Amino acid sequence: MRRFHLAGWTAVTLLMACGGCDPHGGAPSVSGSLEEATVKGTVRVYGKPVNNGSVIFNCVNIRRPNATPPQAPIKKDGTYEIKTLVGQNYVEVSCRELAKAKNRMFADTQIPVMVQAGENTIDLDLPPNSATPGKTQTQ
């Protein structure tokens, strides 16, 4: 009889402990917004604008698992323009400069940026410490 009593209290304790659990397993607070914003900026490798390649803004998170990461070309002057979702994005740069042996270590770099509503200017610098990476200016 005591065994069932202990099992009952264990079940009650577990239910109480999990009663307030986050349905996303304690994931950090992230935006589920599907609001889009415009982002413009310049892509630089060691301070020099690149004139090829593309940027991908990965806006997928646990609250928007079906979001599609938008991609935009880098223009000849090193600039890009893209529409992405407001909130935290992780930017990946793909260009010929990152294929060079001395720069390959930056090829898989994901630059975290916070996209605000409206228009944003976010310059992307590789290596990340060569300037202020992901610096955001809302206009």
Side-chain angles (χ1 to χ4, degrees), residues 77-99:
D77 62 355
T79 62
Y80 71 93
E81 183 173 341
I82 196 167
K83 278 196 170 284
T84 189
L85 297 180
V86 170
Q88 187 76 39
N89 282 247
Y90 292 89
V91 184
E92 296 177 42
V93 175
S94 175
C95 62
R96 283 193 300 269
E97 288 78 3
L98 297 181

Side-chain angles (χ1 to χ4, degrees), residues 40-51:
K40 300 175 185 179
T42 302
V43 180
R44 295 182 195 89
V45 174
Y46 287 109
K48 295 180 181 177
V50 300
N51 61 8

Side-chain angles (χ1 to χ4, degrees), residues 16-122:
M16 287 176 53
C18 292
C21 290
D22 181 347
H24 298 290
S29 176
V30 291
S31 173
S33 171
L34 297 178
E35 177 185 0
E36 288 187 326
T38 301
V39 181
K40 300 175 185 179
T42 302
V43 180
R44 295 182 195 89
V45 174
Y46 287 109
K48 295 180 181 177
V50 300
N51 61 8
N52 64 86
S54 62
V55 293
I56 298 173
F57 274 64
N58 188 349
C59 53
V60 177
N61 66 44
I62 197 161
R63 301 218 192 277
R64 41 186 193 211
N66 298 323
T68 302
Q71 181 173 342
I74 300 171
K75 300 174 189 169
K76 299 250 184 244
D77 62 355
T79 62
Y80 71 93
E81 183 173 341
I82 196 167
K83 278 196 170 284
T84 189
L85 297 180
V86 170
Q88 187 76 39
N89 282 247
Y90 292 89
V91 184
E92 296 177 42
V93 175
S94 175
C95 62
R96 283 193 300 269
E97 288 78 3
L98 297 181
K100 295 179 181 176
K102 70 175 186 172
N103 299 330
R104 280 195 197 120
M105 65 188 112
F106 308 119
D108 294 326
T109 300
Q110 292 187 351
I111 303 169
V113 298
M114 183 59 71
V115 176
Q116 307 293 328
E119 287 199 12
N120 299 257
T121 300
I122 301 176

